[in-house]
Amino acid sequence: MKNRFALMLALGLCLSLVPAFADEPARGLAASATFQYLPAGQAYDPEVPTPASHLGWEVGTWHVRHDALVHYLTRLAAGSDRMTVETQGYSHEGRPQILLTITSPRNHARLEEIRQARLAPGGPPKGAPAVLWLGYSIHGNEASGSNASLLVAYHLAAAQGEEIDRLLDEVIILIDPCLNPDGLGRFAQWANMHRGRQTVGDRFHREHLEVWPGGRTNHYWFDLNRDWLLLQHPESRARVRTVQRWRPDLSGDYHEMGADSTYFFQPGVPTRQNPLTPDRNLELTREIATFHAAALDRFGRLYFTEETFDDFYPGKGSTYPDLIGGVGVLFEQATVRGHQRDTSRGPLTFPEAVHNQFLTSLSMIAAAQAKGTALLDYRREFDRSALQLARQDEVAAYVLSHDGDVARGHHLVEILLQHGVEVHRLGRSVSLRGETFSPADSFVVPVEQRQYRLVKTLFERRQEFVDSTFYDVSAWTLPLAFGLRSAEVPRRDLAADLLAAKVAESSQPAFELEPASAEPYAYLLDWSAYYAPRAVYELLREGVGLRVAEKPFEVETARGRRAFAAGTVVIPTAGAEASLGPRLAEVGRRYGVPVDRVSSGLTAAGIDLGSPSSQVLRQPKPLLLVGPGVAAYEAGEIWHLLDHRTGVELPLVEGSRLTGVDLDRYTHLLMVDGDYKRLPEETVEAIRRWVRRGGIVVATRRAARWAGSQLLELDEQEAAVAGNVGEGRRPYGDYDRDRQAEQISGAIFATELDLTHPLAFGFRNAMLPSFRTTTHVLRPPADAYSTVARYSESPLLAGYASRQRRNQIAGSAAVVATRLGRGVVVRMSDSANFRGFWYGTNRLYLNALFLAPLVDSTAPWR
């Protein structure tokens, strides 16, 4: 009897459709398709407002806007002693991210006590309520989840009876009704503005074909379901803060997939589960799957499990919980992308899609109650085994150093702390594998901690895999992504004095420029600091005169004699309208960029400050090409890097409008991966003329191939990898596996920089880890001086790449800069800004923005 109500929630729902449009013009569309979602025979409190009473239409008639969703759920919580609402954070566009906490009034009265007991050593006490987290529509145009959340919240707030009371005593339900407020808002507007009185299912109907970039992504066109681990966006940081505060026992992540699909729920492909996830997790997922199957069976809905989707990359909503002690479950509903869609199985309506998400939400609630004891036992064992595994691990800790670039070190430590990872300052200097780490710029992450599995997945460099097919990337090693030196501390070398004070929080570092009684001859700004480009852009925009040294030098400064690398920014004070000291002191404090004073332009070694080997810096005025045919993710990465992190004004211009643009207003044309064959010849010729007059093109991936052939007139500049894999006869059934085995699903490779090249200024180490997601190869050019970066002969550092792909990439070019007339064409084989967290290679892209004018001709002299 204890679980009867829980099972009823999963199984006892009924479905009915009633007539469509009413006669009243005022209600018209709003009265269409009333869909009975709620369980038959369930009593509800008539004083609790239904979604329809608040919205003015039944759920599924229109796509709910984010503001309407927030307003209804806030009103619902205000009148219920079962429910509270809080704001977790705000999206880029300022939309609130709300969280509903639903449980019995008795649990609400001691909610903080329950939460803290869950996080205590030993885990949740026996008999404690299980915690279930339900998150909806992290992809904004997969809207059935957010619309279903209205019904789930209403049901839990209004249902009456002893069994719902018992359920709410035994389970605490956290509902995040919209994981991507900006994307959902964009899509709801699109879908609603194209809905007529008659719903149209034709897949070519404009309602189903959003304009670029669509509603899937957040404001900056990032896929937030890849950001759980990386935490580059406010939506993700707020969400993970909640998840870490509660560490839910069971989590549901609601998505959509292709319209001709059926319905998917986990488990996924068993061989593609993250190896750090305990086997018991898969067993529990299979047990919980029976609840979803029963709910969908009752209505004859088709579904599948253990195919297509996997649990490998832990940066998604269904996999992140698996590495912090919970069980994550992915749900994928066939998409409608509007209000009705013709499919291979017949018409699919939006209400039906919403109903499926509602059904499996209730089956998750039922499972959380029925499996509560097993889930809590699993949590306690997860924590116990984590410490046991840590003590058996040959690696006792990881040391990492920012080598003076405090901003990159800060941002990496910030991510670790947000994940609840324990980080310490390094207690003393230590040498590991021939590298020395100093306490001044190093941190230690011990493995013996509750977050052992997260630590391992963030630091390991795995290259061996049971299955070579990946739904997402195969590597995400944080120190490599940030370009920081790191090393493993063997257990035999771990000593107590290596661990100094625990880092409680990480704040934006500051550099203090001491006040001076008089203005110096010049100031020197360290270009290697991560936020130096932001500081330089602000100064250039304010009209401050800046030069960049193309060769190293040593000079006496207020801090003593110091060596300065090529790329150092020289700021002469002669001719300045006002004292530069206060402004540069502010730059140092705000961005952590070291600034030095010098009293003379005569140096102790190397070039003098007025040398011909220093060039005037000009304010970059880039234009980013966007629109149909352009890879929105990569365009968004560059938009985010320049606008959000660097403060650069960046016009976003569609390729179809480029013909009417006066390119001479811009210094740079930024082109990301995409299909540029649609550019008219007159536009291509205009770009060629503009480059020859001094314009700079920065092109990545397929755009790099286009630039090579169309601007530089090179033949077969890249070796395009295509065709069927294997020789001779192969089983047809092996095609998908063979094809996937030869893909590069996101792996980390070693590149070798030419540190004398202007586009490598600011780097201190010639070995630079870079991220690849493509099989396209950029061949080294005939001009041996124009290769800024090339892949090493043994390039794979972490992740999966077949031997054939590794051999093709080895020795190939990563970045090539070619002078064309008075301009420059910069070609990159892959993105330098992957998912916003690849801090280590951001500088390559920013150097192309600020320093490409320094690239001179390297024409043959023989």
Side-chain angles (χ1 to χ4, degrees), residues 36-355:
Q36 185 174 328
Y37 300 95
L38 302 176
Q42 172 64 55
Y44 290 94
D45 183 348
E47 298 299 315
V48 177
T50 64
S53 71
H54 180 84
L55 299 172
W57 37 267
E58 294 291 342
V59 170
T61 306
W62 296 93
H63 281 259
V64 69
R65 300 191 317 272
H66 180 262
D67 60 319
L69 178 146
V70 170
H71 194 200
Y72 170 67
L73 294 176
T74 302
R75 178 186 173 194
L76 191 64
S80 173
D81 60 359
R82 300 173 176 178
M83 182 184 303
T84 58
V85 63
E86 62 185 284
T87 298
Q88 305 171 88
Y90 293 88
S91 70
H92 279 296
E93 295 178 15
R95 291 184 170 93
Q97 297 171 256
I98 65 169
L99 177 76
L100 302 177
T101 302
I102 306 173
T103 190
S104 67
R106 186 176 71 169
N107 285 341
H108 269 298
R110 57 189 189 95
L111 202 61
E112 183 60 16
E113 175 190 334
I114 294 172
R115 188 190 69 80
Q116 290 189 11
R118 291 177 56 78
L119 303 181
K126 290 187 180 298
V131 174
L132 167 67
W133 179 91
L134 299 175
Y136 298 94
S137 301
I138 200 166
H139 297 137
N141 59 6
E142 299 178 3
S144 57
S146 283
N147 284 264
S149 75
L150 301 172
L151 298 160
V152 177
Y154 168 74
H155 173 81
L156 293 171
Q160 300 291 292
E162 291 182 3
E163 293 182 345
I164 186 79
D165 293 339
R166 186 178 306 113
L167 167 74
L168 295 177
D169 262 343
E170 296 175 2
V171 183
I172 296 171
I173 303 156
L174 308 175
I175 294 181
D176 193 325
C178 181
L179 298 168
N180 181 0
D182 297 344
L184 183 79
R186 192 159 65 242
F187 175 69
Q189 176 68 15
W190 177 265
N192 289 339
M193 69 186 283
H194 292 101
R195 189 208 194 284
R197 291 177 66 86
Q198 310 302 322
T199 54
V200 179
D202 191 315
R203 66 189 182 94
F204 294 108
H205 177 44
R206 196 164 191 255
E207 178 183 14
H208 308 304
L209 301 169
E210 302 164 78
V211 294
W212 190 98
R216 176 182 176 88
T217 54
N218 78 338
H219 175 79
Y220 281 105
W221 310 333
F222 278 69
D223 183 339
L224 289 177
N225 198 43
R226 304 302 186 269
D227 198 44
W228 281 78
L229 205 65
L230 315 178
L231 300 179
Q232 297 304 301
H233 296 275
E235 301 94 332
S236 306
R237 291 191 287 272
R239 179 189 327 126
V240 166
R241 186 164 53 246
T242 294
V243 170
Q244 284 290 343
R245 283 182 70 244
W246 278 102
R247 294 185 69 199
D249 305 300
L250 182 60
S251 298
D253 185 25
Y254 289 82
H255 291 255
E256 292 178 3
M257 55 183 169
D260 288 326
S261 302
T262 57
Y263 193 91
F264 170 84
F265 51 87
Q266 285 182 317
V269 180
T271 58
R272 283 149 54 185
Q273 180 160 302
N274 190 295
L276 292 168
T277 303
D279 293 340
R280 178 60 175 149
N281 182 286
L282 180 59
E283 294 172 5
L284 282 168
T285 306
R286 283 178 168 144
E287 293 170 15
I288 290 165
T290 63
F291 288 77
H292 316 317
L296 296 171
D297 284 347
R298 185 172 181 85
F299 293 91
R301 304 287 164 77
L302 296 174
Y303 56 84
F304 67 99
T305 66
E306 304 202 19
E307 293 183 76
T308 306
F309 300 95
D310 66 34
D311 258 342
F312 185 74
Y313 172 55
K316 299 183 293 184
S318 59
T319 51
Y320 182 77
D322 294 342
L323 288 189
I324 64 170
V327 175
V329 180
L330 170 68
F331 298 93
E332 295 274 357
Q333 159 65 39
T335 190
V336 181
R337 286 292 194 274
H339 294 86
Q340 182 172 313
R341 179 71 179 267
D342 295 340
T343 76
S344 59
R345 295 180 291 107
L348 174 64
T349 67
F350 188 50
E352 182 181 343
V354 172
H355 187 226

Side-chain angles (χ1 to χ4, degrees), residues 534-545 577 580 583-584 586-587 590-591 619:
R534 177 155 195 154
V536 164
Y537 185 80
E538 286 188 6
L539 295 171
L540 288 172
R541 191 166 52 186
E542 294 165 9
V544 177
E577 295 182 1
L580 294 176
R583 181 69 180 97
L584 293 173
E586 180 188 9
V587 162
R590 180 180 297 178
Y591 301 125
Q619 179 185 343

Side-chain angles (χ1 to χ4, degrees), residues 521-788:
Y521 174 83
Y523 292 92
L524 304 177
L525 186 148
D526 185 353
W527 183 249
S528 69
Y530 183 79
Y531 284 111
R534 177 155 195 154
V536 164
Y537 185 80
E538 286 188 6
L539 295 171
L540 288 172
R541 191 166 52 186
E542 294 165 9
V544 177
L546 307 180
R547 301 178 69 86
V548 60
E550 296 183 273
K551 295 181 180 179
F553 59 91
E554 292 183 22
V555 66
E556 203 66 39
T557 76
R559 294 193 289 163
R561 180 167 168 170
R562 299 188 63 235
F564 291 85
T568 298
V569 177
V570 181
I571 311 172
T573 58
E577 295 182 1
S579 173
L580 294 176
R583 181 69 180 97
L584 293 173
E586 180 188 9
V587 162
R589 283 193 301 272
R590 180 180 297 178
Y591 301 125
V593 178
V595 180
D596 280 281
R597 296 188 188 86
V598 292
S599 58
S600 172
L602 186 66
T603 65
I607 64 170
D608 293 323
L609 298 190
S611 165
S613 293
S614 68
Q615 300 292 326
V616 173
L617 272 178
R618 306 292 184 190
Q619 179 185 343
K621 297 181 180 180
L623 177 156
L624 176 61
L625 209 58
V626 299
V630 170
Y633 287 173
E634 191 183 343
E637 291 162 4
I638 292 170
W639 183 23
H640 181 262
L641 173 70
L642 299 187
D643 175 70
H644 188 75
R645 286 199 196 143
T646 316
V648 172
E649 181 181 324
L650 183 65
L652 310 174
V653 179
E654 294 204 5
S656 61
R657 300 181 183 275
L658 199 58
T659 302
V661 171
D662 178 7
L663 289 175
D664 288 330
R665 296 173 54 201
Y666 307 97
T667 59
H668 291 67
L669 177 62
L670 310 180
M671 303 176 70
V672 303
D673 186 41
D675 180 5
Y676 295 95
K677 295 176 183 177
R678 65 185 70 194
L679 286 179
E681 179 55 34
E682 60 180 305
T683 301
V684 177
E685 182 55 35
I687 295 172
R688 290 192 194 106
R689 293 195 301 267
W690 170 77
V691 173
R692 292 186 179 278
R693 291 195 300 271
I696 298 167
V697 169
V698 183
T700 57
R701 300 175 67 175
R702 283 180 294 166
R705 300 178 65 189
W706 178 90
S709 62
Q710 297 298 313
L711 304 182
L712 301 177
E713 300 180 344
L714 301 174
D715 294 329
E716 298 182 0
Q717 191 64 18
E718 274 96 4
V721 180
N724 291 335
V725 178
E727 298 178 359
R729 185 182 179 191
R730 296 284 297 163
Y732 172 82
D734 289 349
Y735 169 75
D736 281 340
R737 186 189 64 186
D738 290 348
R739 177 178 60 86
Q740 290 291 338
E742 292 303 321
Q743 300 300 308
I744 296 178
S745 298
I748 304 171
F749 292 82
T751 59
E752 299 168 355
L753 293 173
D754 173 6
L755 294 179
T756 70
H757 197 286
L759 297 197
F761 286 176
F763 288 99
R764 296 174 177 174
N765 193 330
M767 197 289 282
L768 178 67
S770 64
F771 200 82
R772 279 189 68 98
T773 59
T774 179
T775 57
H776 296 300
V777 175
L778 189 65
R779 286 181 176 171
D783 177 1
Y785 300 94
S786 63
T787 300
V788 182

